[in-house]
Amino acid sequence: MQHAIGHGHSQGADSHSHDHGHHDQESMKVLGFWIFLVTDCLLFGTLFATYVVLKAHTDGGPTGKELFEIPGFVAETFILLTSSFTSGLAVLAMNKKKVGQLIGWLIVTVLLGASFVGLEINEFVNMVHEGATISTSAFLTAFFVLVGTHGLHVSVGLVWMIALMIQLKMRGVTPVTKRKITVISLYWHFLDVVWIFLFTIVYLMGVM
Amino acid sequence: MKRSSKLRGLMLLITGLVSTVLLSGCDGKFVVFDPQGPVAETQYRLIILSAILCAIVVIPVLAITVFIVIRYRDKPGNTAPYKPHWDDSKVLEVLWWGIPVIIIGILGAYTARDTYGLAKKPPVTDVKPIKIQVTSLDWKWLFQYPDQNIATVNYVHIPAGVQVDFELTSDAPMNSFWIPQLGGQEYTMPGMAMSLWLQADRPGEYYGTGANFSGKDFAHMRFNVVAESQEDFNKWVQTVKGSNNELTKAGYETLSKPGQSEEQTFSSYPSDLFDSVVIKNGGHHMDMDMDMDTEKDSDKADSNSDSDNTSKSDNNSTHDMQGMDEMSDTDMSNTNSSEMNHNHQ
Amino acid sequence: MYASIKSFASSFFVTGDPLIYGADVSIGLTSIAILFVLFYFKKWGWLWREWLTTVDHKKIGMMYLIASLLMLFRGGVDALLMRAQLAMPNVHFLQAEHYNEVFTTHGTIMILFMAMPMMFGLFNMVVPLQIGARDVAYPYLNAVSFWLFFFGAMLFNISFVIGGSPDAGWLSYPPLSEMSGSPGVGQNFYIWGIQISGIGSLATGINFIVTILKMRAPGMKLMKMPMFTWSVFSSSIIIIFAFPILTVTLALLFIDRFLGGHLFTMDGGGNPMMYVNLIWMWGHPEVYIVVLPAFGIFSEIVATFSRKRIFGYKSMVFALMSISILSFFTWVHHFFTMGAGADVNVFFAIATMAIGIPTGAKVFNWLFTMFRGRIRLEQPMLWTLAFIPCFVVGGATGVMLAVAPADYQYHNSYFLIAHFHQVLIGGVVFGYLAGIYYWWPKLFGFKLNDRLGKWAFWLWNIGFYVCFMPQYALGFMGMTRRVYTYGWDMGWGPLNLVSTIGAFLMGIGFVFQVWQILYSVKYGERDTTGDPWDGRTLEWSIPSPPPMYNFAVVPHAGERDSFWEEKERRNFAPAPPVPVAQLESIHMPKNSGVPFVFSACWFVAGFGFVFGWLWMAILGMVGVGVTLLIRSFQYDTDYYVPVEEVRETEVAAGRAV
C-alpha cells in the first residue's frame, strides 16, 4: 500500500502501485481477456456443433468432398500457423524492449494474416461461382457461417494489430502497450487453435 | 400483534382463494383429472404422486415459516431465545439436504419407471391396433387412416378399447397434439414422423387441441375426438367411404394453405401423402442420416421400426447438443461418436 | 412521388389500430415534454456530463434501474392487455395478430429488458460497495454494457410503432420465426434488439467476475464475501457460459432470414429442432441467471432484519455454485414432448429435480437464519417473507413439471404459465423489489415511504395469488398458452375472469410504487447515518448516498459481516471520524462519451439490418469500428481526485475531522 504523490491528473493508468484496491490494472485486463476468450470458445463451440449436425444435410447440393480443394486449405493452414509463430516472435522482441523488431514481426504477422484472409475470400468466391452459395443447403449455410466467423475474427485482428503498431510507434513499449500486445497475441494464438479444429473437422473430415 | 394477524389473514385468504378456485372450477371440466385411457391414467397417477411428495415438503415449510415469523418478531417483551451468533448446525444441514434427496430419489425412480414404461410399445393384445397419421397444418388438423384410406379434418373417430398408434408430423410450423383425457401431448414437427400411442377405454367425446403456438389462428386448432365401439366405428368408416369426396394432391395443396377450416371428411386420399409431406420437409435427411428405407408400406411392424429409428436418431442429435456448453474439443469427441452411431445404423 | 412516400410510410409505420395511435401520440407527447424540459432548463450539458458519459457504477446502476422500471411498465401494460382480452370467452378486444405480438413482447421485455437490467442495476449499485471497491474492474466497459442494453431495448421497443412487433413467441421458434412464417420486420427487431443488449450482458458478466475476483477489500477472502456478492459471482459465471450460445443462435436465425440460409428452415435441409435446443441451452440457464441474485438479496435481508448471522454460509455458497452448474443440464425439460427418447428424458428429468435439492436447502437456511433471531418487518423483509411461501409452492410445481411423463399433460398449458410466473414473480420480482427497497436509501439517501409501500405490497401479493392460482386450475382444464380467445364450451370463463382481476390488482400495486417513489423523493425519511437498517456489510459503513469514490479509506474486511462485527466491538457507538491527514488523493476513471456513441452506432446498424438497408447497416458498423479505434488510441483515461476534494467531501459528510 505504498503511496506515490505527485502524479499529474493526466497521468496514464500504468501499473504503478499507487492505488487502494486497484491492483495491477494491466494484469486485470489480461485476465478479463482470458475470460472473453472462454466466451469466444463457446461461440465457436456452438457453431461447430451446428456444423456437425447439419454436415450431411446437403439437400442434393454439393458436398464438402466435391467443394474443398486440398492445396487451398493446406496453404491457409500453413500461413496461419506461421503467423501465429511470428506473433510469438513479436512478443519475444517486446520482452527484450526492441520496438523495431516488435513492429517488424507484427508487420510479418499482419501480412500473413492478410494473405490468409485473401485465400479464404478466394475460396469462397470460387465456391459461389460453382453454385455453392450460403442459401444452397443447410450444410453450406453452416459451412460459410463457421468458416466466415473465423475469417471475420482474423480480419478484425488485422485492423486491431495495425492500430497497435501505430500506437507502438507513438509510445514505444510501455506497460499499457505491452498489455495490448500481450492481449492481441493471445487472440491470435486462439484463432490459430480454432483454425486447427476447423482444419480437422471441416476440411480434413470433409474430404475424407 | 396487528401485523401477525395480517399475515394470518393472508394465509387465510390464500386458502380461501385456492378453495374458491377449485370449487368454482367444478362447472368446468378438469380434463387432466379425468383419465379415459391407460396413458392418461399413468400420467394422472404420477401427477398425484408428485403432488403428494411435494406437499410433504411444502406444508411443513409453510408451517415453520409462519411459526418462526410469529415467534421471533422483534417486539418488546418477546421471551423467545435470541442467539445472534448461532449460524451452523451439522445435524440440521444433513436433515435438509437429506430429506429432499430422498424425496427426489423416490420421485425420480417413479419418473424413470413410467418414462420407460410409456416409451415402450404397449402390451400386445389380441385386438389389432389402429393407425392414424396426423398432420398439423396452418391452422387445422388432418387425420389420415392408412388402413381404411379415409381422411378427416379437425375431428377424428377412434374405436374404444383399441390401441391407437398416432403418427405425427407437421406441414407448417411445429405444433403439439394433445388429447388430455387420453394422454399427454407430443410435438408435431416438419420433416419428422413421431409416434404416440393412446387409447380410449370407453366410448365418448373428448377434447383435442393443438398445444404449441403456431401462428395467427392457433387458438382455433381444436378437434373433437369421438371414441365409439368397434361396430359403430366400422359403420362410420363405411359411411365416409361411401361419401365419394376424394382428397386429391391439388385438394391437399388448397387445404394446407393458411386459414381455418370446418370439419371435413374425405373418402380417400393419395396413399403416399403422409410420407411425401415428411420427406418434403426434410425427412430425407433423417433417412440419409440413418440409412433408412424411404419406401414404407402400410405393414405395421415395418412402420413401428421406422418410428423407433426416428426416436433413436433424435436421441443422438440431442446428445450432440450436450457438447455445446463444453469446449469445442468436447464437441469434437461427441461428433466422432455421433458419426459412428450414424454409420452403425 | 407522393404515392411512393405514402406506401413506404404505411408499411414503415404501424397503422390501423387505435391502441397504436394512442401509443404514437403518447410517445410523441412524452418526447416533446422531455425535450422541452431539457431546453427550458438548459439541462443538456448536465445530462451529458453527469449521466450519458458517466462511468460511475452507482449512476450506471441507477440508469439501469430507471430503464428497467420503464420496461416493467411496458411489459405490465402488455400483460394487462392480454388479461383484458382473456377476461371472458369470445372477447374481441384484440385481434389474433395483435394478441400474438403482445404476448411475444411481454415475455421478451420482462425477461430481457426488465429482469436483466434490474439485476444489473443491483449488481452495479451494490457489489463494489459491498466488497469495498471504488468501482468495477472495467468502468468504461460497464458504461458500454449499459448503453448497449439501452439501445437494444430501444430498438426492440420502437417495433411497436415502426415496422411491426415480433409475434412468434418470446423464444421465437422457427420455422414460425423464419421468413416463411414471419415475413415482416418484427422478427428482425427481436433478433437485433436482443443481440445488441446481449453483447452488453456478456460484457457485464465478464466485468463482475473480474471485479469480484480482483477488487475485494484487503482481508476479504472468497469465503468471507457477502452472500449477495457470491450470488452475483455465480450468476456471472452462468452468463459467460450461456450468452455466447444466445448470440450464435440469434445470429444463425438472422442469417436464415437475411441471407437465405437454411439452418432452421423447413426446406433446404434445415433443422428447426436444433434452434429449440440451442435457444434453451441459453434460455434455461438464463432463468437461473436472474434468480440467483434474488437469492443473494434474500440472504442479505434475512440476516440484517433478523439481527443474526446468515445460517449455513458454506452450505449456501455450495448451493449457489451447484445450481449454476446444474442449470446447464436441464434444458431439455422445456421440450420433453419432442420425443427425444426415454434415456434423454429421464436424464433431464432427474437433473431438473436435482436443482430442487440445493434450492430447498437454501430455503431452510433462510428460515433458520430467522430462527432465534429478532425479526423486524420493514419493507425489504416483508417482500422476503412473501417470497418464501410463493417460491416454495412455485418450486414444488416445478418439481412436478420435471416428472417427464406428467409433463406431457402440463406442457404448453396454463399450469406451466402459472408455474413460471410464480417462480419469476415470487422469486425474481419480489427479490429485486426487496433489494431495491433495501438498498434504495444507500443509493439515493432516503427511505421509500412505508405506508404507500405496504399498500403496494399487499396489492402485489393478493393480486399475484388471485391472478395465478386460477391458472394452475385452467391448465388442468386443458387451456393452452398463447390462445387469444376461447369459447364457452370448456368452462374456462370464471377462472379467467378471476385471474384478470388479480392481474389488475398487481397493476394497481405498481401504480402505488410509482407514487411511493415520487412521494418519497420529496417527503421520504432522509438517511443521515449511512446505516438505516442496522446493516452488516461494508456498504453500510459509508455515507448515503456514497461519495463518487465510495471509500475514502479502503476498508479492511477480515471477517464475514465485518461491518457488523466492528459495530459490535465498539458496542454500537458511532464510528470515530477519520483524521484528515490519513486521506489521500484517489485514482478514478475519467468519464467518456465513447460508450454512448459506440452503442448508438450499434443501434443504427441494427436498424439498418432490421429493414435490410445495407447502406445504413454498413454505416452503423463503420461507426462501431471507428469508435472502437478511437478508444484504443485514448491513453488519458484516468485521473486523481485531489486530496483537498476528498477532504472536503469527507468533512462535509461528518466522516473526517
Side-chain angles (χ1 to χ4, degrees):
Chain A
M1 293 267 265
Q2 120 192 36
H3 173 52
I5 301 174
H7 287 287
H9 284 197
S10 59
Q11 178 81 34
D14 41 10
S15 64
H16 56 70
S17 53
H18 172 109
D19 53 28
H20 310 274
H22 278 249
H23 303 286
D24 189 352
Q25 285 219 342
E26 301 310 325
S27 81
M28 205 159 73
K29 284 181 178 165
V30 176
L31 173 67
F33 195 78
W34 272 106
I35 299 176
F36 164 76
L37 286 185
V38 171
T39 67
D40 222 20
C41 234
L42 279 149
L43 185 138
F44 277 108
T46 315
L47 288 174
F48 270 110
T50 310
Y51 175 79
V52 166
V53 169
L54 295 176
K55 204 170 115 180
H57 293 208
T58 51
D59 198 44
T63 64
K65 201 167 187 166
E66 293 157 23
L67 288 170
F68 303 149
E69 282 160 15
I70 296 174
F73 69 76
V74 169
E76 285 173 36
T77 307
F78 271 110
I79 290 171
L80 201 67
L81 286 180
T82 315
S83 80
S84 195
F85 180 67
T86 55
S87 81
L89 292 178
V91 172
L92 285 181
M94 175 179 77
N95 289 340
K96 289 187 215 141
K97 303 259 177 200
K98 290 181 179 162
V99 189
Q101 238 184 60
L102 164 57
I103 294 178
W105 282 121
L106 285 180
I107 290 173
V108 176
T109 311
V110 165
L111 288 177
L112 287 168
S115 41
F116 169 84
V117 173
L119 276 178
E120 193 167 288
I121 290 171
N122 183 46
E123 184 198 352
F124 281 11
V125 169
N126 284 342
M127 284 172 75
V128 170
H129 280 306
E130 288 168 36
T133 69
I134 194 164
S135 57
T136 304
S137 68
F139 154 68
L140 279 168
T141 315
F143 166 81
F144 279 113
V145 171
L146 173 57
V147 180
T149 306
H150 179 265
L152 194 67
H153 271 75
V154 176
S155 313
V156 169
L158 293 179
V159 178
W160 185 6
M161 215 177 268
I162 292 166
L164 290 192
M165 289 191 291
I166 298 169
Q167 291 174 29
L168 279 174
K169 197 85 193 155
M170 288 159 66
R171 294 171 188 272
V173 179
T174 70
V176 179
T177 51
K178 198 170 167 180
R179 181 259 304 164
K180 289 187 175 192
I181 298 296
T182 313
V183 161
I184 198 165
S185 80
L186 272 177
Y187 180 74
W188 206 255
H189 292 314
F190 166 75
L191 290 183
D192 209 43
V193 173
V194 172
W195 179 260
I196 289 168
F197 281 98
L198 269 172
F199 172 75
T200 318
I201 294 175
V202 177
Y203 289 104
L204 274 188
M205 286 164 69
V207 293
M208 270 191 316
Chain B
M1 206 55 228
K2 198 175 124 248
R3 280 179 188 163
S4 72
S5 70
K6 255 189 199 168
L7 195 82
R8 248 177 267 162
L10 177 71
M11 298 308 288
L12 263 179
L13 192 75
I14 294 166
T15 350
L17 273 173
V18 171
S19 40
T20 335
V21 161
L22 290 175
L23 289 176
S24 72
C26 274
D27 50 338
K29 287 168 273 183
F30 283 92
V31 283
V32 173
F33 294 153
D34 179 31
Q36 296 292 329
V39 178
E41 186 70 44
T42 310
Q43 290 163 339
Y44 173 67
R45 276 202 305 269
L46 264 181
I47 290 173
I48 299 298
L49 174 80
S50 58
I52 291 171
L53 284 173
C54 287
I56 291 176
V57 179
V58 168
I59 293 170
V61 168
L62 296 183
I64 295 172
T65 312
V66 174
F67 167 76
I68 290 178
V69 172
I70 294 169
R71 177 106 168 91
Y72 295 99
R73 276 293 297 283
D74 183 25
K75 53 187 179 216
N78 189 345
T79 52
Y82 172 51
K83 295 191 172 171
H85 290 274
W86 181 63
D87 67 351
D88 198 17
S89 160
K90 290 280 171 302
V91 180
L92 286 172
E93 291 279 357
V94 168
L95 201 67
W96 61 60
W97 281 86
I99 293 174
V101 169
I102 293 167
I103 287 180
I104 298 297
I106 298 171
L107 193 56
Y110 277 102
T111 303
R113 188 196 68 180
D114 286 343
T115 308
Y116 284 111
L118 289 174
K120 267 193 300 210
K121 262 170 258 161
V124 183
T125 54
D126 42 353
V127 190
K128 187 177 180 293
I130 176 172
K131 187 167 155 186
I132 299 176
Q133 293 169 326
V134 184
T135 312
S136 63
L137 299 169
D138 271 344
W139 292 277
K140 57 193 87 68
W141 292 93
L142 172 66
F143 298 93
Q144 300 165 50
Y145 295 72
D147 297 335
Q148 287 76 17
N149 192 31
I150 57 170
T152 58
V153 172
N154 280 356
Y155 78 104
V156 59
H157 278 240
I158 57 168
V162 177
Q163 174 200 326
V164 187
D165 286 332
F166 288 105
E167 226 186 317
L168 314 173
T169 194
S170 174
D171 196 12
M174 173 172 138
N175 209 309
S176 192
F177 176 79
W178 190 26
I179 311 170
Q181 278 151 298
L182 303 190
Q185 64 196 278
E186 192 153 275
Y187 286 165
T188 60
M189 295 174 283
M192 301 243 207
M194 310 296 299
S195 59
L196 172 73
W197 76 271
L198 298 173
Q199 179 176 321
D201 287 339
R202 284 168 288 277
E205 286 200 21
Y206 306 118
Y207 153 80
T209 187
N212 197 74
F213 178 65
S214 62
K216 182 170 165 276
D217 282 332
F218 158 72
H220 300 292
M221 287 190 70
R222 300 259 292 261
F223 56 91
N224 206 20
V225 184
V226 182
E228 55 201 355
S229 67
Q230 185 72 53
E231 300 86 75
D232 287 347
F233 176 76
N234 293 343
K235 257 184 251 161
W236 172 76
V237 171
Q238 289 315 317
T239 334
V240 172
K241 273 187 171 308
S243 69
N244 202 14
N245 178 23
E246 283 182 28
L247 177 64
T248 57
K249 286 252 160 166
Y252 176 77
E253 291 307 317
T254 320
L255 184 70
S256 61
K257 288 211 172 75
Q260 298 178 42
S261 169
E262 299 295 309
E263 291 189 351
Q264 295 185 48
T265 311
F266 298 104
S267 57
S268 72
Y269 66 88
S271 63
D272 65 336
L273 182 59
F274 186 83
D275 291 341
S276 67
V277 164
V278 174
I279 300 295
K280 180 186 80 180
N281 292 323
H284 53 288
H285 295 296
M286 310 304 298
D287 302 344
M288 197 165 58
D289 289 353
M290 294 176 300
D291 195 22
M292 193 176 89
D293 202 346
T294 41
E295 57 100 4
K296 275 197 236 168
D297 29 26
S298 49
D299 182 2
K300 182 193 161 253
D302 191 357
S303 80
N304 261 351
S305 72
D306 280 353
S307 40
D308 276 356
N309 272 342
T310 316
S311 69
K312 256 189 226 154
S313 92
D314 257 9
N315 218 323
N316 285 336
S317 60
T318 317
H319 279 309
D320 284 348
M321 302 281 177
Q322 236 170 298
M324 283 184 207
D325 46 328
E326 288 141 32
M327 299 296 145
S328 46
D329 50 341
T330 328
D331 282 334
M332 216 183 62
S333 64
N334 271 337
T335 313
N336 291 335
S337 69
S338 89
E339 281 304 299
M340 283 187 311
N341 281 340
H342 286 316
N343 291 343
H344 281 307
Q345 287 167 10
Chain C
M1 182 64 188
Y2 173 72
S4 69
I5 290 175
K6 198 178 158 192
S7 82
F8 167 78
S10 69
S11 65
F12 186 72
F13 295 106
V14 178
T15 51
D17 195 310
L19 278 168
I20 308 270
Y21 292 131
D24 286 346
V25 170
S26 58
I27 291 172
L29 288 177
T30 316
S31 316
I32 290 170
I34 292 172
L35 289 177
F36 177 77
V37 168
L38 286 172
F39 274 114
Y40 189 80
F41 294 101
K42 300 199 175 61
K43 287 289 188 187
W44 283 109
W46 166 80
L47 185 69
W48 177 257
R49 280 190 309 274
E50 297 290 319
W51 297 97
L52 302 190
T53 60
T54 187
V55 293
D56 181 347
H57 68 96
K58 297 180 288 297
K59 284 183 175 167
I60 289 174
M62 288 177 193
M63 290 195 289
Y64 267 123
L65 184 64
I66 291 164
S68 68
L69 288 174
L70 283 174
M71 288 293 106
L72 178 59
F73 173 72
R74 160 84 209 266
V77 170
D78 282 346
L80 295 183
L81 288 176
M82 281 190 280
R83 282 320 313 172
Q85 166 70 15
L86 292 178
M88 305 273 279
N90 300 328
V91 172
H92 293 290
F93 172 57
L94 298 177
Q95 299 303 310
E97 293 95 332
H98 197 174
Y99 184 85
N100 297 344
E101 291 179 355
V102 168
F103 74 66
T104 302
T105 52
H106 167 76
T108 313
I109 285 178
M110 283 302 198
I111 294 285
L112 286 151
F113 301 121
M114 188 283 285
M116 290 296 279
M118 204 179 268
M119 174 180 89
F120 289 145
L122 287 161
F123 280 21
N124 270 292
M125 294 192 294
V126 179
V127 171
L129 302 182
Q130 219 172 32
I131 61 174
R134 285 179 175 145
D135 210 318
V136 294
Y138 317 116
Y140 173 86
L141 184 67
N142 201 21
V144 169
S145 291
F146 171 75
W147 289 111
L148 281 174
F149 148 71
F150 179 82
F151 281 107
M154 288 303 111
L155 187 61
F156 185 85
N157 275 280
I158 54 166
S159 68
F160 188 60
V161 287
I162 293 176
S165 300
D167 60 356
W170 84 278
L171 287 182
S172 63
Y173 283 4
L176 185 59
S177 56
E178 292 280 1
M179 289 306 271
S180 58
S182 309
V185 295
Q187 279 309 309
N188 298 341
F189 273 117
Y190 170 90
I191 292 169
W192 282 99
I194 297 178
Q195 194 72 293
I196 291 173
S197 68
I199 301 167
S201 304
L202 188 58
T204 306
I206 297 176
N207 211 337
F208 277 86
I209 288 180
V210 180
T211 304
I212 292 169
L213 286 179
K214 289 286 177 186
M215 306 276 287
R216 298 190 310 277
M220 190 184 276
K221 299 266 188 326
L222 279 177
M223 288 309 275
K224 304 225 182 297
M225 288 198 309
M227 281 311 297
F228 178 67
T229 302
W230 262 114
S231 72
V232 172
F233 186 61
S234 54
S235 170
S236 299
I237 286 178
I238 311 182
I239 289 177
I240 65 159
F241 284 98
F243 267 78
I245 304 176
L246 175 70
T247 305
V248 171
T249 311
L250 292 176
L252 295 181
L253 184 60
F254 188 69
I255 280 162
D256 272 8
R257 291 180 59 86
F258 188 61
L259 298 175
H262 288 292
L263 298 156
F264 310 126
T265 54
M266 281 163 70
D267 58 342
N271 185 351
M273 293 24 153
M274 192 171 59
Y275 178 94
V276 179
N277 269 290
L278 288 172
I279 198 81
W280 279 116
M281 283 164 78
W282 159 79
H284 194 81
E286 165 68 14
V287 221
Y288 289 95
I289 291 171
V290 292
V291 84
L292 290 182
F295 290 173
I297 292 167
F298 294 129
S299 303
E300 299 292 339
I301 290 173
V302 160
T304 302
F305 292 96
S306 306
R307 283 178 203 275
K308 191 160 164 283
R309 285 185 186 165
I310 190 79
F311 198 86
Y313 178 92
K314 283 181 195 158
S315 134
M316 294 286 249
V317 172
F318 177 73
L320 279 177
M321 297 318 280
S322 55
I323 291 173
S324 59
I325 292 165
L326 281 173
S327 71
F328 281 96
F329 297 95
T330 62
W331 81 90
V332 170
H333 74 218
H334 294 276
F335 45 92
F336 280 141
T337 56
M338 197 182 266
D343 294 333
V344 176
N345 280 3
V346 168
F347 173 84
F348 283 95
I350 292 176
T352 305
M353 293 176 198
I355 289 198
I357 299 168
T359 315
K362 290 189 80 75
V363 172
F364 282 108
N365 276 314
W366 289 317
L367 288 178
F368 276 78
T369 305
M370 294 191 278
F371 184 72
R372 295 179 179 167
R374 277 293 175 269
I375 301 168
R376 287 175 293 155
L377 292 186
E378 300 275 4
Q379 287 184 78
M381 191 60 173
L382 277 182
W383 289 93
T384 306
L385 289 177
F387 149 81
I388 290 177
C390 194
F391 194 79
V392 165
V393 174
T397 55
V399 171
M400 288 170 71
L401 277 157
V403 179
D407 181 65
Y408 278 55
Q409 290 281 31
Y410 306 129
H411 188 55
N412 278 330
S413 78
Y414 261 81
F415 186 89
L416 170 75
I417 302 298
H419 158 71
F420 73 69
H421 280 93
Q422 185 152 19
V423 284
L424 286 174
I425 294 180
V428 176
V429 176
F430 284 14
Y432 293 175
L433 288 177
I436 289 169
Y437 283 111
Y438 184 54
W439 282 299
W440 187 282
K442 176 48 58 193
L443 265 288
F444 294 90
F446 59 89
K447 279 189 185 177
L448 288 170
N449 179 277
D450 214 42
R451 196 168 44 84
L452 291 169
K454 286 209 168 121
W455 274 99
F457 172 78
W458 288 108
L459 280 164
W460 263 98
N461 269 276
I462 296 168
F464 172 80
Y465 288 100
V466 175
C467 183
F468 290 104
M469 293 304 117
Q471 295 189 5
Y472 281 117
L474 282 169
F476 289 129
M477 293 166 80
M479 184 165 170
T480 53
R481 69 193 298 196
R482 295 175 174 175
V483 288
Y484 78 97
T485 190
Y486 56 91
W488 291 94
D489 54 338
M490 297 299 287
W492 296 341
L495 288 178
N496 269 302
L497 185 61
V498 173
S499 178
T500 300
I501 293 169
F504 277 89
L505 287 178
M506 282 191 277
I508 300 170
F510 179 74
V511 172
F512 266 94
Q513 287 176 309
V514 175
W515 183 13
Q516 181 191 21
I517 292 174
L518 296 177
Y519 178 89
S520 311
V521 169
K522 200 152 166 59
Y523 304 108
E525 181 190 336
R526 263 48 196 173
D527 170 33
T528 49
T529 61
D531 184 19
W533 309 118
D534 207 359
R536 310 178 70 83
T537 38
L538 284 178
E539 71 269 32
W540 305 110
S541 68
I542 52 174
S544 311
M548 176 257 291
Y549 45 77
N550 299 346
F551 295 89
V553 179
V554 171
H556 183 86
E559 51 217 323
R560 278 175 215 156
D561 294 348
S562 59
F563 179 55
W564 177 267
E565 301 296 332
E566 189 197 312
K567 283 197 286 189
E568 256 191 352
R569 272 195 296 275
R570 54 167 204 263
N571 249 331
F572 297 93
V578 181
V580 280
Q582 280 183 22
L583 298 174
E584 298 168 343
S585 61
I586 292 171
H587 181 204
M588 293 300 286
K590 272 189 177 170
N591 282 1
S592 168
V594 179
F596 182 82
V597 179
F598 168 77
S599 308
C601 291
W602 268 109
F603 179 87
V604 171
F607 197 84
F609 279 124
V610 166
F611 283 93
W613 299 338
L614 262 186
W615 60 270
M616 193 173 180
I618 291 170
L619 194 74
M621 292 314 293
V622 168
V624 167
V626 169
T627 40
L628 280 175
L629 284 174
I630 288 175
R631 176 62 183 182
S632 180
F633 279 88
Q634 278 176 355
Y635 276 68
D636 175 20
T637 56
D638 354 38
Y639 72 110
Y640 283 89
V641 182
V643 66
E644 300 78 41
E645 196 183 320
V646 178
R647 277 179 193 158
E648 261 170 46
T649 317
E650 290 299 300
V651 170
R655 298 290 172 133
V657 284

